[in-house]
């Protein structure tokens, strides 16, 4: 009789694990909360599905994961990931390092997984809520709201808390893992927009601009404490900031915000350099040349063609001057302050957006709870994969890459474990 592996959660990691286990000759059952498998995968990358990225290294992930990931990446290389995707029929194209399905459709990737799952005879029970994994002598009982299933090995791949409305990700896996004695790092939204209470941010559609953004914790009487720095296109709108550089830093910002004391003395500040391509001397020369144009011009005219008009409007207002003022009436000191604000524009950050708009979850089951085969150290035969673990990467295919790597390893090792029983 075939051994049985039950997989809780049919996201990217869960489907990957199921296919690997089934190819190893194991009888596999998937229990999925949604109406269909691959729900979140179908929405990835705005429907384009950024599958992975070339040249991924542990430093592309959260600090606490970096010492653990080399072992996994040695087991499953980038080539292994590409070969696996190719084996289920997914053709890949590379765009500036990002790996995408040649079809340009996330839905086609999900369909490839669904086809392979059917071909391998993997059973899927959807719209089922798993409540608990119960270890018993030589077997596991998996309790749902209505049924009790049994398995020789279990893979928990039920995701985190990102996108609860669209994917029903509500942190069930954390509860199941904690019932098995595993430590969980409190989950936080990641790859998410950051909120601001600044009243002078551009209203309506806002603006997009290239900038270097640095995040700092500020506390009165102390030096600003740096959190993260990223560069690229920033989106500034009423109520907050976004764009890939902001998303990249959001997990670290969320972690810092969560650690703020209750005294209210600490604040998170985003500092934008709107001229990151210029050295200090080059920028100084540009400003000096602009100052020579002051004669017979209004102040606002001095900045025509200099930067985005909405930013200029905001910066002039912050400096207490109006665009219609005569440029020559503004003192050299005040004018210098205006120019320098383009290189040091501060926006206060009050919070992150909620899990409902987050792409991934930061936090999760502590990596110290699993061995290099992603098996629970406390409950042998229980394996974990994907976003449930405390691993979160950069925007651009890094999180899906970890899903594939962890899914392949968990599927392989769970089937090996089950075969020995």
């Amino acid at each position: 009789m075939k051994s049985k592996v039950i997989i809780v959660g049919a996201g990217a990691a869960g489907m990957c694990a199921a296919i690997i286990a089934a190819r190893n000759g194991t009888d596999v059952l998937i229990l999925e909360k949604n109406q269909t498998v691959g729900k979140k995968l179908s929405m990835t990358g705005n429907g384009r599905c950024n599958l992975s990225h070339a040249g991924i290294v542990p430093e592309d992930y959260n600090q606490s994961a970096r010492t653990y990931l080399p072992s996994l990446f040695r087991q499953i290389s980038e080539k292994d990931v590409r070969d696996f995707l190719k084996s289920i029929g997914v053709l890949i194209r590379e765009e500036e390092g990002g790996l995408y399905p040649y079809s340009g459709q996330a839905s086609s990737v999900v369909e490839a997984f669904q086809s392979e799952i059917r071909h391998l005879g993997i059973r899927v029970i959807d719209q089922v809520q798993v409540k608990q994994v119960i270890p018993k002598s030589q077997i596991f009982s998996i309790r749902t709201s209505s049924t009790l299933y049994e398995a020789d090995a279990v893979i928990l791949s039920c995701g985190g808390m990102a996108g609860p409305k669209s994917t029903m990700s509500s942190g069930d896996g954390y509860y199941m893992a904690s019932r098995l004695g595993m430590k969980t790092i409190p989950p936080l939204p990641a790859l998410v927009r950051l909120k601001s209470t600044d009243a002078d941010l551009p209203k309506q559609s806002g603006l997009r601009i290239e900038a270097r953004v640095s995040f700092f914790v500020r506390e009165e009487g102390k030096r600003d404490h740096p959190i993260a720095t990223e560069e690229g296109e920033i989106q500034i709108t009423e109520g907050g900031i976004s764009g890939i550089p902001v998303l990249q830093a959001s997990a670290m910002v969320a972690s810092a915000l969560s650690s703020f004391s209750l005294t209210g003395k600490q604040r998170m500040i985003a500092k934008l350099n709107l001229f990151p391509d210029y050295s200090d001397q080059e920028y100084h020369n540009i400003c000096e040349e602009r100052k020579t144009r002051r004669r017979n011009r209004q102040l606002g005219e001095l900045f025509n063609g200099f930067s985005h008009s909405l930013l200029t409007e905001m910066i002039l207002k912050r400096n207490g001057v109006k665009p219609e003022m005569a440029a020559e009436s503004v003192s050299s000191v005040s004018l210098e302050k205006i120019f320098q604000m383009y290189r040091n524009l501060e926006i206060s950050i009050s919070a992150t957006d909620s899990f409902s708009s987050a792409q991934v979850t930061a936090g999760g089951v502590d990596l110290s709870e699993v061995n290099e085969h992603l098996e629970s150290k406390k409950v042998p035969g229980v394996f974990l994969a994907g976003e449930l673990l405390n691993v979160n990467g950069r925007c651009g295919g890094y999180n899906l890459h970890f899903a594939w790597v962890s899914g392949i390893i968990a599927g392989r090792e769970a089937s090996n474990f089950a075969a020995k029983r």
Side-chain angles (χ1 to χ4, degrees):
M1 179 180 292
K2 290 184 179 179
S3 302
K4 183 182 288 186
V5 171
I6 287 182
I7 297 174
V8 183
M15 292 191 296
C16 184
I19 290 169
I20 293 296
R23 286 177 177 176
N24 283 353
T26 305
D27 179 36
V28 178
L29 170 64
I30 298 175
L31 301 176
E32 168 56 38
K33 192 175 182 182
N34 282 286
Q35 293 181 348
T36 182
V37 300
K39 180 72 172 181
K40 185 174 182 179
L41 182 61
S42 67
M43 302 181 291
T44 301
N46 292 321
R48 289 192 65 215
C49 196
N50 194 170
L51 295 164
S52 182
H53 203 283
I56 288 179
V57 293
E59 287 69 30
D60 292 319
Y61 296 84
N62 54 305
Q63 184 70 44
S64 58
R66 294 175 187 176
T67 56
Y68 183 85
L69 289 175
S71 171
L72 302 189
F73 290 171
R74 282 193 295 269
Q75 294 179 63
I76 305 298
S77 67
E78 287 183 31
K79 182 179 183 301
D80 293 329
V81 169
R82 294 191 193 207
D83 287 346
F84 169 77
L85 293 170
K86 182 180 178 180
S87 77
I88 66 169
V90 177
L91 297 181
I92 298 172
R93 75 162 78 219
E94 184 172 335
E95 299 177 17
E96 298 180 349
L99 305 184
Y100 295 87
Y102 207 85
S103 65
Q105 290 181 302
S107 59
S108 72
V109 178
V110 175
E111 289 164 359
F113 271 99
Q114 291 172 332
S115 177
E116 187 69 7
I117 286 170
R118 285 192 298 270
H119 172 73
L120 292 168
I122 297 169
R123 291 177 297 146
V124 179
I125 300 177
D126 55 26
Q127 301 182 74
V128 59
Q129 173 74 62
V130 175
K131 299 291 187 180
Q132 187 179 3
V133 175
I134 306 167
K136 294 183 177 180
S137 178
Q138 296 296 305
I139 205 165
F140 293 96
S141 290
I142 293 84
R143 183 172 64 85
T144 72
S145 52
S146 60
T147 310
L148 201 65
Y149 298 90
E150 292 186 338
D152 296 319
V154 179
I155 299 175
L156 296 178
S157 56
C158 31
M161 294 182 67
K165 291 182 179 179
S166 56
T167 65
M168 298 180 71
S169 300
S170 54
D172 302 339
Y174 306 140
Y175 173 75
M176 287 181 245
S178 66
R179 290 289 296 269
L180 293 169
M182 298 183 215
K183 175 185 174 184
T184 298
I185 306 301
L188 295 167
L191 298 186
V192 68
R193 175 178 174 269
L194 299 178
K195 294 181 178 181
S196 175
T197 56
D198 290 358
D200 59 355
L201 298 185
K203 294 178 172 56
Q204 299 174 346
S205 60
L207 62 92
R208 297 170 181 259
I209 193 165
E210 292 290 321
R212 181 180 299 128
V213 58
S214 301
F215 295 92
F216 297 84
V217 174
R218 177 168 295 169
E219 187 170 353
E220 188 175 349
K222 297 183 179 180
R223 296 181 63 182
D224 288 351
H225 176 68
I227 298 296
T229 296
E230 297 286 347
E231 189 169 323
E233 186 181 75
I234 309 291
Q235 299 171 34
I236 307 174
T237 57
E238 183 179 17
I241 59 175
S242 188
I244 289 178
V246 174
L247 301 184
Q248 305 284 35
S250 60
M252 289 176 281
V253 171
S255 178
L257 286 169
S258 70
S259 68
F260 279 8
S261 65
L262 298 177
T263 61
K265 292 182 178 179
Q266 294 172 308
R267 294 190 297 137
M268 179 67 66
I269 303 294
K271 295 182 181 180
L272 275 62
N273 178 354
L274 305 171
F275 288 84
D277 296 333
Y278 294 92
S279 67
D280 291 344
Q281 185 60 55
E282 288 170 336
Y283 185 69
H284 172 77
N285 293 342
I286 290 171
C287 296
E288 290 302 306
E289 190 278 330
R290 285 270 163 172
K291 291 174 185 178
T292 64
R293 305 183 188 185
R294 295 166 70 183
R295 184 177 177 83
N296 297 325
R297 293 179 190 265
Q298 292 184 343
L299 182 60
E301 291 181 284
L302 196 61
F303 295 94
N304 287 342
F306 187 70
S307 185
H308 198 290
S309 59
L310 292 178
L311 281 174
T312 293
E313 180 182 329
M314 185 171 78
I315 288 172
L316 294 183
K317 187 175 181 179
R318 286 192 177 190
N319 282 275
V321 292
K322 297 181 179 181
E324 60 270 20
M325 292 176 59
E328 289 181 295
S329 69
V330 180
S331 70
S332 296
V333 173
S334 296
L335 195 57
E336 182 62 24
K337 285 179 61 179
I338 294 171
F339 276 115
Q340 289 309 311
M341 192 170 285
Y342 284 95
R343 298 263 282 181
N344 192 27
L345 178 63
E346 294 190 358
I347 297 175
S348 64
I349 303 300
S350 56
T352 70
D353 265 356
S354 67
F355 279 110
S356 63
S357 58
Q359 294 183 31
V360 297
T361 306
V365 176
D366 197 310
L367 292 170
S368 65
E369 296 289 347
V370 294
N371 62 22
E372 64 179 2
H373 297 148
L374 297 173
E375 183 179 16
S376 168
K377 294 178 181 178
K378 293 174 180 173
V379 190
V382 173
F383 299 81
L384 287 79
E387 196 174 336
L388 179 61
L389 290 160
N390 181 26
V391 179
N392 62 91
R394 296 173 64 81
C395 185
Y398 299 89
N399 291 288
L400 264 185
H401 183 82
F402 177 70
W404 311 135
V405 169
S406 60
I408 291 171
I409 293 173
R412 179 189 68 198
E413 298 302 328
S415 63
N416 290 342
F417 182 92
K420 295 175 183 177
R421 286 203 159 182

